[in-house]
Structure formats: structure tokens, C-alpha cells
Amino acid sequence: MEDVTNMYISPLPDSPYVKPFRFNYTQNGKAKSWDLLEVHDSVAIVVFNITRKRMIFVKQFRPAIYYNCISLEDRRANKIDEKKYPASLGIALEMCAGIIDKNKSIEEIAREEVLEECGYEVKVSNLEKILSYRSGVGVEGAKQHFFYCEVTDDMKTAQGGGVDDEIIDVVEKTIPEIEEMLKSQETLASPPSCLFALMWFLHHKADKFRQ
Amino acid sequence: MEDVTNMYISPLPDSPYVKPFRFNYTQNGKAKSWDLLEVHDSVAIVVFNITRKRMIFVKQFRPAIYYNCISLEDRRANKIDEKKYPASLGIALEMCAGIIDKNKSIEEIAREEVLEECGYEVKVSNLEKILSYRSGVGVEGAKQHFFYCEVTDDMKTAQGGGVDDEIIDVVEKTIPEIEEMLKSQETLASPPSCLFALMWFLHHKADKFRQ
């Protein structure tokens, strides 16, 4: 995963992934505009293995995080110095998640993501809806639907790790390890949705899995 | 705030706000690319009024959320139908927050945001650091630093509502109202950072403010 080389920045071509545009409006009589992106709705799933009492995370190299670890000056270089900035800086710890880009139910897409990314075969009926919110308020405002799912070792039928070109590691953490992580003095390489999920789990579910 | 009219979409010009580019790299021998945005680091503050035992939120019209409430078909119209899609759809409930774009300490910027947006005059020593994380893993990977701050009615020295062109309302919620909000069946018009903050507060702080 950390074998990442030959990194450089180039202008955005016509991109299928990032589609920026300007939203124009008049508020209280004053003309305004806001620049934003077209993005997909998504699902995310808090997967907890009750056999071994461990939270299941996914880990992958995230260019957006890596890029933000590079000094403003070094970002302008022709090529990023991978000795000075090892790829490990960009490895994020996240909840299992995926975009809604198929004509299937949200629950079915969540079920498939748990299998593809984490390797657990769950039923739609195993999914407990937590809530839905907006993925952001600045440039992205798509819906994200959050589910909770308890799994057992028996349900692990595949290795996980994603599909196609995805390079994803499945990582487990105990409840004390999660609590330790949330006390970190360093900037966590995780997004707020993951931290919400962990706090939700600690508040509503963790006690029944403690000794 | 909800007086929003004359809404339409246009191509992104050279924008000072949204600066998309392509990040190119080779992982495990395979050439890849990822499209992302240049974004600022930011601060966010959980402000709790201990005199009246209420959480302080800010509310504002967010084009990114509004846009995502519009059907794919209606997005392509020359002008958004504001009867069919009232501006209230795009009003987000958020924590006090701001970008780090001044040459000041993170704590000082947080202190200023609490005053500008919420109207409370706090000291840097009133700010308790919660944690720092990455604002996203997809197109944005900037740092966000989260603080907790208890305020009293005495500290309310200004109206709040933001500076310059900002149109921001200050909103309060009791602890039971927060708990009710987090049980919503509807998609919340809030980002995950706000939900993380609420779960963190309920888990670590709320009990001492309950009757």
C-alpha cells in the first residue's frame, strides 16, 4: 500500500470525478455566488465484530490527505519528494463506505460494500440505520446514510480489500484502542464521519461489549 | 435568511474558492490519478451555554446542501424553481467554525469565530482542545481542529451572526433537543463534523448539565 512513487500535480482535465461549477443566487436582495462540486450520495457502515469484540476499519492511501501534509512550497515542485513525504502520511483510517451509483436500494449497496471492502457476508436485515446527514456544507452537500452492523467470525467469507484497482487493508481495533485513538494529540488521518461513528458506538453500543 | 431568489448554475470561472487539480502517482507499479481541491485548514468550536444549559449552533443558507435537494432533471433548468424548492431546504445547522487564513494562532482564530458568529467573548484559556482530524478523504484533506468551550450569559457581548456578507443565525438547543435531533428519520441538514461534536458532548459532558 505504501509503495507510492512518481507523484506530481497537473491541471484538472475534464474530470468524471470532480465536476466544479458556480451556483448563483440572490439573498436578501444581494447577488451572491458559491462554487461547489457535483457529488454522489453515499453509504457508510460501522462494522463491529462481536466474536472478537473489535471494530472493523478500512485503510487506504488518500491523495487528498497526503497532499495536505506537504508544505505549500514543496507542493509547487515538479515532483513530490517521496523521501521527505513518505506515503504513510496519506494512509487514512476510515469506516467502510461507498457511493450510491447503482440502481439498487441503499441497504443493498451498504451490504455489498461490507462484503467488498471488509469481507463479511451480512444480510440487509443485519443493518441498523443510524442516521442520514449531509456530507459537507462547503463544496459537497450530498447525502450520506450511516448504518451499524454487527458481524461474527463465521460471516467472514472473503478477504475484503475492495474491487478493481482499489488497494484497501482491513484493520481491527479493540474498544480501548478506539478510546486511545480519540485522545490523540496528533491530527488523526480520519474524516469526521469516522469520528462521529466511533463516538456513536462508544455512547450507544460499547458498554455491552466490555468485560 | 430564507429570502433566496434568482438561482442558476454557471460554469466555474477561475475561482478563488474552488481550485481543482489532478494528483498523479504510481501505486504498486500502477499509474493512477486522483482529482482534488486546494482547501484551507479550519477550526470548529462546540459552544455550550452553561447558564441556560443550551448548545449554541449557527444556521445559514448553504448552496451545496440546497443544490443536492434538487432533482437531477431540475438541476439542468435555466433557473431553479424556488417555489418547488424553497430556500429552507438549504439551511444548515452547524457548529461555529472558520477557516485558518490569518497569521494568528489556531486558538486565537477559534476565539474570534466564537465572537463573530455566536457573540460570546471568550478567552483562549476557555478553549478545551478536543482533537484534530482531516476534513475529508475524497477531494478535501485539510486539517480541522475541534475545540470545546463553555460560555455564560455574561459573556454574550455581541449579537453574532458573522461578518461582512455573512447571514448567520445563532440557534440554541437543549440536551433533550439534541438527543431528539440525533434520532431523526429525515436527512439532517448538518455535516458529520457537527454530529461528531454532538456525540462527543453527549458522551463526555452532557451528564453534568442534566437535572
Side-chain angles (χ1 to χ4, degrees), chain A residues 1 3-13 15 17-18 20-30 32 34-39 61-69 75 92 94 131-143 165 167 182 186-193 195-196 199-200 202-204, chain B residues 1 3-13 15 17-18 20-30 32 34-39 61-69 75 92 94 131-143 165 167 182 186-193 195-196 199-200 202-204:
Chain A
M1 177 177 294
D3 172 14
V4 181
T5 55
N6 196 27
M7 294 177 277
Y8 65 97
I9 305 304
S10 60
L12 189 77
S15 164
Y17 308 109
V18 167
F21 61 92
R22 177 158 286 190
F23 182 89
N24 306 277
Y25 61 111
T26 299
Q27 187 175 20
N28 291 7
K30 181 154 187 171
K32 297 185 173 190
W34 194 271
D35 297 333
L36 40 90
L37 297 184
E38 187 81 46
V39 279
F61 178 71
R62 291 295 201 170
I65 291 183
Y66 178 80
Y67 177 78
N68 277 279
C69 296
R75 287 178 192 179
E94 304 167 45
L131 56 78
S132 302
Y133 53 76
R134 295 292 168 178
S135 53
V137 293
V139 293
E140 305 177 65
K143 281 184 195 172
D165 279 352
I167 300 175
L182 291 169
E186 304 295 311
T187 300
L188 295 174
S190 292
S193 55
L195 302 179
F196 159 67
M199 285 308 313
W200 179 89
L202 288 178
H203 194 63
H204 290 294
Chain B
M1 177 177 295
D3 171 15
V4 181
T5 54
N6 195 28
M7 293 176 278
Y8 64 97
I9 305 304
S10 61
L12 189 75
S15 164
Y17 308 108
V18 167
F21 61 92
R22 176 158 286 190
F23 181 88
N24 305 276
Y25 61 110
T26 300
Q27 187 175 20
N28 291 6
K30 181 154 188 173
K32 298 185 171 188
W34 193 272
D35 297 333
L36 41 91
L37 296 185
E38 187 81 46
V39 277
F61 177 71
R62 291 294 202 172
I65 291 184
Y66 179 81
Y67 177 78
N68 276 280
C69 296
R75 287 179 193 179
E94 304 167 46
L131 55 77
S132 302
Y133 53 76
R134 294 293 168 177
S135 52
V137 294
V139 293
E140 305 178 64
K143 283 184 194 171
D165 279 353
I167 300 175
L182 291 169
E186 304 294 311
T187 299
L188 295 174
S190 292
S193 55
L195 302 179
F196 160 67
M199 286 308 313
W200 179 89
L202 289 176
H203 194 64
H204 290 294

Side-chain angles (χ1 to χ4, degrees), chain A residues 45-50 55-56 111 114 120-130 147-152 155 200:
Chain A
I45 311 100
V46 185
V47 182
F48 191 75
N49 181 316
I50 62 175
M55 180 70 74
I56 309 298
R111 195 195 67 73
V114 174
Y120 289 91
E121 179 83 51
V122 302
K123 295 193 183 74
V124 160
S125 58
N126 297 136
L127 297 167
E128 175 186 336
K129 176 76 180 286
I130 299 178
F147 295 92
Y148 172 64
C149 182
E150 293 179 357
V151 299
T152 60
M155 296 158 89
W200 179 89

